[in-house]
Amino acid sequence: MSEKKVILSGIQPSGSPTLGSYLGALKNWALMAEEYECFYSIVDMHAITARQDPAELRKTPFLQLALLIACGIDPEKSTIFIQSHVPAHAQLSWVLNCYTMYGELSRMTQFKDKSSKNADNINAGLFTYPALQAADILLYQADYVPVGADQKQHIELTRDIAVRFNGIYGDVFKLPEPYIPKVGARIMDLQNPTNKMSKSEIADGGCVLIMDTPEDIKRSFKRAVTDSETSVRYDIENKPGVSNLISIYSVCTGKTFDDIEREFDGKGYGDLKANVGEAVVELLRPIRERATTLLADKAYLETVFKNGAEKASYTANKTLRKVYKKIGFVV
Ligand code: TRP
C-alpha cells in the first residue's frame, strides 16, 4: 500500500479545457503524481444532469483523456477513469442521498444557478448532484480535492455528510479538504478580464481552448481588451486586461512581471498582445499535437480507461463494502 496522501478530482466531459484550466490546474496535476496518489474521474454521470447529445458524450471522454495525457498526466502514475465504469459511485451516492438533507441541497449555489438557467429541466439528479460528488470523493478516502472556488461549497457539504455519517457509524470516511495549488495562475477572460476565463463565456471570444488552432489563438489575443492608457504595467485594480496578459505571458515564458514591464517599456499594447499570443501558441502546440496523435489510437485510450476503472474499483469497493456493513446491509 502506498503511504501517499490521496487526491481526487472530477472532470466534466465537455471537450477541450480552456487555457485557464490548463495553467490554473492541469499543469500542476502532472506534478502532483510525484507527491500524491491521484484519481481523476471523468464524470459522465454528473454530465447527464443537463441534457447531452449521446454521440458527443460518447466521444468527449476520449478527447478529455488524450488531453490529460498530453498535458503530462501519466496514466501509469495516476488513475484516470470514467465515473460510470465504476458502479460504486452510483451505489454510494444512493446511500449518501439518505444522509444528505433537503435543506442542505437547496442551499447549493450551483444548484440555484443551474436551475435558474435551465428552468425547463430541473431534474432530481441536478438537485442531488452534490451527493454524487461526495461519493466520488469519499470512496477514495481522498485527503485533497483540487477544485476552483465555485466548488468549495460542494466540498464543505461533502465534509458535513462525512462528519454526519462518521458520527453515527464511527470513522468510515476521511474528511477531504479543498486543494489550493501552491502555484497556479488565475487566468481571466480576454474580453471581460474581471471574470475568470470560462467556457460558458465562449461566445464573447475571450476564452482560449487548448485545442484551438494557432490562428484562433492569435486572433483571440489580438482582440483582447486592454485599457485607454499605453503603458504595459501590472496593476490588477486599474488595468485588469493588461495585467491578465502579463500574467499569461509570465507563466508561458517564466519571466517575472518586472522583466515583462521592462521588455515592453516604450512599446504598445499591440506588441504585448502579439507576443503573448505567440507564447501561448508555442505553449499549447506540443499539447495539441500529442493529443491529436493519441486520439488516433482509440485502442490505447480504451485500455487506459479499462485499467483505470479496475484500479479505481478496487479502492472504491473497499469503502463501499465498509459502508454497506456499517449501515446494516447484508453483504
Ligand atoms: N462538480 C464538479 C464541477 O462542476 C465536477 C466534479 C464531480 C468533481 N465530481 C467531483 C470535482 C469530485 C471534484 C471532486 O466542476
Side-chain angles (χ1 to χ4, degrees), residues 171-188:
D171 277 342
V172 177
F173 295 126
K174 169 100 47 90
L175 302 186
E177 281 171 41
Y179 176 88
I180 317 292
K182 290 174 207 120
V183 283
R186 195 170 146 81
I187 305 299
M188 313 306 275

Side-chain angles (χ1 to χ4, degrees), residues 54-280:
E56 272 301 303
L57 191 57
R58 210 169 280 129
K59 245 178 19 203
T60 40
F62 291 96
L63 175 60
Q64 219 78 346
L65 174 59
L67 278 162
L68 288 176
I69 300 174
C71 288
I73 295 156
D74 179 352
E76 300 287 324
K77 291 186 186 157
S78 302
T79 306
I80 312 173
F81 64 99
I82 297 179
Q83 188 184 32
S84 66
H85 286 184
V86 181
H89 290 248
Q91 293 168 302
L92 183 62
S93 115
W94 177 254
V95 174
L96 296 184
N97 265 313
C98 303
Y99 295 81
T100 308
M101 298 303 136
Y102 178 85
E104 288 174 316
L105 293 172
S106 323
R107 283 194 291 277
M108 293 296 115
T109 53
Q110 184 167 304
F111 172 69
K112 289 193 254 183
D113 253 27
K114 287 190 179 175
S115 43
S116 71
K117 283 182 193 149
N118 296 291
D120 57 340
N121 187 19
I122 308 177
N123 59 74
L126 190 64
F127 189 62
T128 62
Y129 179 119
L132 176 58
Q133 182 162 348
D136 294 344
I137 298 166
L138 298 176
L139 277 173
Y140 301 91
Q141 307 287 354
D143 295 277
Y144 301 111
V145 185
V147 282
D150 66 320
Q151 290 299 311
K152 267 185 122 168
Q153 202 187 22
H154 287 166
I155 311 303
E156 275 157 27
L157 178 60
T158 300
R159 285 176 66 96
D160 292 343
I161 298 170
V163 167
R164 179 173 301 136
F165 195 94
N166 288 352
I168 307 171
Y169 303 104
D171 277 342
V172 177
F173 295 126
K174 169 100 47 90
L175 302 186
E177 281 171 41
Y179 176 88
I180 317 292
K182 290 174 207 120
V183 283
R186 195 170 146 81
I187 305 299
M188 313 306 275
D189 187 280
L190 300 181
Q191 290 301 318
N192 290 300
T194 49
N195 295 346
K196 205 176 121 185
M197 184 180 282
S198 152
K199 271 204 271 194
S200 49
E201 307 297 322
I202 209 149
D204 75 2
C207 175
V208 173
L209 301 180
I210 298 185
M211 288 303 269
D212 279 351
T213 63
E215 295 68 38
D216 286 341
I217 295 172
K218 286 186 207 163
R219 191 173 329 110
S220 298
F221 279 96
K222 211 172 271 171
R223 290 191 190 147
V225 164
T226 49
D227 53 59
S228 55
E229 295 184 7
T230 50
S231 66
V232 175
R233 186 164 50 79
Y234 190 87
D235 174 352
I236 203 98
E237 286 283 302
N238 302 306
K239 298 163 75 67
V242 170
S243 303
N244 188 36
L245 292 174
I246 293 177
S247 35
I248 296 173
Y249 195 53
S250 165
V251 271
C252 290
T253 60
K255 294 176 185 171
T256 66
F257 293 176
D258 280 347
D259 288 342
I260 297 169
E261 288 178 3
R262 233 170 288 126
E263 182 177 341
F264 291 96
D265 189 24
K267 294 184 186 155
Y269 291 161
D271 280 323
L272 176 68
K273 292 183 195 180
N275 278 270
V276 183
E278 201 53 56
V280 171

Side-chain angles (χ1 to χ4, degrees), residues 1-52:
M1 258 320 270
S2 97
E3 298 296 308
K4 288 180 177 175
K5 297 231 179 206
V6 175
I7 279 197
L8 175 127
S9 198
I11 306 159
Q12 293 280 0
S14 55
S16 173
T18 67
L19 172 68
S21 41
Y22 174 64
L23 294 176
L26 293 175
K27 202 174 150 211
N28 301 312
W29 289 10
L31 307 170
M32 279 177 345
E34 304 304 326
E35 205 178 327
Y36 303 100
E37 159 122 45
C38 299
F39 292 91
Y40 300 116
S41 176
I42 297 179
V43 293
D44 54 351
M45 288 159 62
H46 279 110
I48 61 164
T49 57
R51 198 70 72 226
Q52 300 290 331

